[in-house]
Amino acid sequence: STCQWRQSSMASNFWLSSHRQLWLFNSAQLKKGYDKHAEELGISSKDQRKLIIFFSDIIEGIAKSFDKHKPRQDVIGTAILYFRRFYKVHSWKDVDPFVMVATCIYTAFKTTEFGSLSLKTLADNTTRVLSKTTLQQAKWKYKSETAVHYIIEAEFYLLQALDCSTIVFLPYQDLLEYIEHLKDSHDSTKMDSLLKTSWAILNDYLRTDACLMYPPYLIALAALHLGSLLDKVDITAWMARLTINPTEIVEVVQVAIEHYDFLDKEYKLEQDLDPVLQVLLPQINKAPPIEPKRRQIAE
């Protein structure tokens, strides 16, 4: 269901976590890395942003394609955040992103303790999902046996890039707690609807830089605020009682608004992404599918 969730027993305190200490950046830090990676490829910052959205969508599509054991949203969110972190540290050329997509899903299944995932099933589902895209360049070019080898090897480099910081904090649990508090003073049916709307907005936030810039509780509050506007539910009195600077919430809200504006004006999948992949993929194919270099997280 929409709101399936299991909080990891290891995820005890965000404020003491490596997520907060190592994996939150300001906009200048992110821009520096993005500009460097885009320059290496010869693409624009907008094109790189399209790649992030595209591969995040592919991760979710593959994860939801399994006939058995469909993963919870926290598993999908973890995989997307792993992917985002990896390409914060590494260039797109260092590891074939199609291999890394599958690797992040495989690793997220394990680290969230969701269950085991057959590598062959993962490779087959990746092939099937990519074959349904209209993009000529977005194809899985590896046979199953070869893909299994590459995924196993890529997981080593993923864990190295993450510095073994595999526990991530996502905003879904915070949103669930806020909704429970709101039910004390609001209609329960309306709150259930608000939860679904805000949950969908949280999924969209994973395609933005918010997950690399802000603590999850702020992202949850921003999604809740946007959801209340869409559902026409008044939660202003409840929000006013929070001991949080409203300008911080507004800042995160603006990230979502700008993201939706970008999707509307700049991101037309069939029209825009094939040329970007045509630039990216030949640069990867000149080398073996995996050829990462050790980089500094703060780069």
Side-chain angles (χ1 to χ4, degrees):
S1 65
T2 302
C3 305
Q4 284 183 312
W5 177 265
R6 177 185 176 279
Q7 189 174 18
S8 171
S9 59
M10 295 181 68
S12 57
N13 191 329
F14 168 76
W15 301 104
L16 300 177
S17 68
S18 60
H19 185 143
R20 177 176 178 267
Q21 295 172 2
L22 296 176
W23 292 104
L24 292 184
F25 308 94
N26 59 43
S27 57
Q29 289 173 316
L30 289 177
K31 185 178 185 303
K32 180 181 178 182
Y34 289 157
D35 288 349
K36 180 178 180 180
H37 296 335
E39 184 179 348
E40 288 176 348
L41 289 177
I43 63 175
S44 69
S45 57
K46 286 183 179 180
D47 287 340
Q48 185 166 224
R49 187 170 176 181
K50 293 170 189 174
L51 288 174
I52 290 170
I53 296 170
F54 169 72
F55 283 111
S56 298
D57 289 344
I58 290 297
I59 288 174
E60 184 155 5
I62 295 169
K64 289 183 175 180
S65 71
F66 300 113
D67 295 327
K68 300 179 181 178
H69 307 301
K70 291 187 182 298
R72 304 177 307 262
Q73 192 60 39
D74 63 310
V75 182
I76 298 170
T78 297
I80 292 174
L81 200 49
Y82 285 170
F83 186 87
R84 298 297 309 278
R85 288 181 177 185
F86 186 86
Y87 288 106
K88 165 66 178 71
V89 179
H90 285 283
S91 164
W92 293 94
K93 296 192 294 185
D94 288 343
V95 175
D96 185 337
F98 288 104
V99 172
M100 188 50 64
V101 157
T103 303
C104 289
I105 295 169
Y106 179 64
T107 306
F109 262 71
K110 294 190 290 185
T111 58
T112 59
E113 302 177 5
F114 182 72
S116 60
L117 176 62
S118 161
L119 282 169
K120 184 180 184 304
T121 299
L122 174 59
D124 291 344
N125 280 43
T126 301
T127 302
R128 186 166 71 250
V129 169
L130 289 174
S131 69
K132 294 178 180 178
T133 72
T134 59
L135 297 172
Q136 296 300 314
Q137 302 295 323
K139 304 302 178 187
W140 180 251
K141 61 180 181 291
Y142 307 111
K143 293 182 179 179
S144 182
E145 297 79 7
T146 306
V148 167
H149 168 75
Y150 285 147
I151 292 169
I152 292 172
E153 187 176 354
E155 186 179 36
F156 170 79
Y157 293 113
L158 172 63
L159 293 174
Q160 184 184 62
L162 296 175
D163 201 20
C164 293
S165 300
T166 57
I167 300 300
V168 303
F169 289 76
L170 297 164
Y172 299 102
Q173 179 65 25
D174 295 290
L175 177 62
L176 289 173
E177 292 176 4
Y178 296 148
I179 291 293
E180 286 303 309
H181 291 159
L182 281 164
K183 283 183 177 180
D184 293 338
S185 55
H186 292 74
D187 178 75
S188 180
T189 301
K190 289 184 178 180
M191 291 303 99
D192 289 339
S193 175
L194 177 58
L195 174 59
K196 292 180 180 179
T197 302
S198 304
W199 192 276
I201 294 170
L202 287 185
N203 294 343
D204 293 335
Y205 263 117
L206 289 171
R207 276 75 171 167
T208 75
D209 287 339
C211 59
L212 297 174
M213 295 178 66
Y214 303 104
Y217 75 90
L218 269 183
I219 300 174
L221 286 171
L224 187 62
H225 173 69
L226 286 168
S228 71
L229 296 177
L230 291 172
D231 281 10
K232 296 180 172 57
V233 178
D234 186 2
I235 61 170
T236 52
W238 181 85
M239 295 281 285
R241 293 196 298 269
L242 298 174
T243 57
I244 296 172
N245 188 337
T247 59
E248 295 182 348
I249 301 174
V250 170
E251 184 177 327
V252 186
V253 166
Q254 288 301 318
V255 173
I257 293 173
E258 196 275 334
H259 173 67
Y260 293 134
D261 186 62
F262 181 83
L263 291 179
D264 182 57
K265 295 179 180 178
E266 302 286 349
Y267 187 72
K268 306 297 181 185
L269 190 64
E270 291 81 3
Q271 300 173 16
D272 290 348
L273 205 56
D274 254 332
V276 183
L277 292 171
Q278 284 175 344
V279 173
L280 170 63
L281 296 182
Q283 297 187 62
I284 294 172
N285 293 338
K286 291 176 184 176
I290 299 170
E291 192 179 4
K293 303 170 185 175
R294 183 63 174 168
R295 300 188 180 216
Q296 297 299 316
I297 288 176
E299 188 175 71

